[in-house]
Amino acid sequence: MAHSLSDECTPLKREYDSCFNAWFEGYLEPAVNATTPEQRLKYSQDKAAEYERNCGKIWNQYRECVQKAVKDKGLDVLLEQARAENPLKEPPPATPVDKNPA
Amino acid sequence: MHYFSQLFNYEHPWSHVVIGMWHKYPNPHCSHVVTVDVLDRSVDPQTGIIRTERVLGCKQKAPIWIVKLFGGSEDAFVREISFINPATQDATITSVNLSLSQFATCYENIRYSPAPNGTTTFVQTAEIQARMALWRSAADRLENWLVQRFEQNAQLGKMGFTDVLRSMWEAKDGQHAHSFHS
């Protein structure tokens, strides 16, 4: 696993990444294979709650650490500008080249 | 504006590629990426879409003229937003540079989608653009500064040469003027 931008946060980051990866690897295949909208909704709700239960605590600790590191490096201002310019709250639309893979 | 794009297939199913996304770094082939941090992540309980905002720290030696002109350093940071939609089997990653972003933007889009025979199509596009408005205002400021310096120097030159002429010729010309008048 890569380092955090602050050495202080690296142990928290690694613990969080491991937690997320373990959750995600169990999440993905059944999420892809869900057949009905009801099934998908139920699965998404259950899994979102499970993620919060499993990784919520370590995530809060890691986030607190990394937010401070971002500020210390002066990246907070640049990030705010980038977010204002392009919030990216929705996935970008598919372009023609995406839709017609060779 | 410069464009870049490439498209190819990975010989792995979509889910494996998407799981692998989180294990890409550190990577000896991409040793310029040294830090990766998650800044924000959400799992949508309605759609199952996962949105992740990360900041990647890169070390890449910039050419000396770039460092001199823009004051950049070896450390550069990139903001990256990804969406993973299991329902449509769509994964997108959008990245933009944070460092030197006041001068130019490098805007990259990556998309992973399922392809026949258990493979995955990778499409990457990038737009690299200098911020022209800024260049224009910088050029204006540079011109103004040059004009001021020129005016100052012209003024100083006039004063300087006046002094030289005076000290060289004043006595003599004064005498000459005197003798001429007498």
Side-chain angles (χ1 to χ4, degrees), chain B residues 155-174:
Chain B
Q155 194 61 30
L156 292 171
K158 181 186 168 201
M159 282 160 59
F161 196 44
T162 304
D163 278 2
V164 168
L165 290 177
R166 192 179 289 140
S167 62
M168 275 177 75
W169 303 115
E170 196 161 62
K172 202 180 172 192
D173 291 349

Side-chain angles (χ1 to χ4, degrees), chain A residues 73, chain B residues 34 56-61 72-77 99-100:
Chain A
K73 298 242 175 205
Chain B
V34 287
L56 278 64
C58 309
K59 265 201 198 313
Q60 208 152 44
K61 275 220 181 312
S73 74
E74 247 190 66
D75 296 317
F77 292 93
S99 308
L100 302 181

Side-chain angles (χ1 to χ4, degrees), chain A residues 16-30:
Chain A
Y16 168 72
D17 278 353
S18 300
C19 187
F20 172 77
N21 286 333
W23 173 84
F24 182 72
E25 285 161 29
Y27 167 76
L28 193 62
E29 298 260 10

Side-chain angles (χ1 to χ4, degrees), chain A residues 82, chain B residues 77-79 95-102 104-107:
Chain B
F77 292 93
V78 170
R79 176 189 182 230
S95 307
V96 68
N97 60 304
L98 294 173
S99 308
L100 302 181
S101 55
Q102 66 272 46
T105 53
C106 179
Y107 189 86

Side-chain angles (χ1 to χ4, degrees), chain A residues 1-5 13 16 20-21 24-25 27 29 44-45 62 66 83 85-88 90 92 98, chain B residues 15 19 22-23 26 35-39 41 45-46 48 51 53 77 79 83 86-87 92 107 111 123 131:
Chain A
M1 264 178 243
H3 287 263
S4 169
L5 61 97
K13 172 208 143 61
Y16 168 72
F20 172 77
N21 286 333
F24 182 72
E25 285 161 29
Y27 167 76
E29 298 260 10
S44 300
Q45 285 172 341
Y62 168 49
V66 80
R83 286 172 184 148
E85 202 162 300
N86 199 348
L88 277 160
E90 301 295 327
D98 292 328
Chain B
S15 61
I19 286 170
W22 309 117
H23 298 278
T35 70
V36 179
D37 282 282
V38 178
L39 298 182
R41 180 171 269 148
Q46 306 295 318
R51 178 187 184 274
E53 180 178 37
F77 292 93
R79 176 189 182 230
F83 291 91
T92 60
Y107 189 86
R111 180 169 241 116
V123 180
R131 290 194 193 265

Side-chain angles (χ1 to χ4, degrees), chain B residues 77-145:
Chain B
F77 292 93
V78 170
R79 176 189 182 230
E80 179 206 88
I81 309 289
S82 60
F83 291 91
I84 297 171
N85 187 342
T88 56
Q89 295 194 64
D90 188 29
T92 60
I93 308 174
T94 305
S95 307
V96 68
N97 60 304
L98 294 173
S99 308
L100 302 181
S101 55
Q102 66 272 46
F103 301 114
T105 53
C106 179
Y107 189 86
E108 182 199 47
N109 257 301
I110 287 173
R111 180 169 241 116
Y112 295 104
S113 21
N117 306 316
T119 66
T120 302
T121 300
F122 167 90
V123 180
Q124 179 185 34
T125 59
E127 293 171 17
I128 297 153
Q129 186 172 32
R131 290 194 193 265
M132 292 312 287
L134 186 124
W135 289 114
R136 242 173 253 127
S137 85
D140 280 352
R141 285 206 303 275
L142 178 64
E143 280 184 11
N144 285 336
W145 181 77

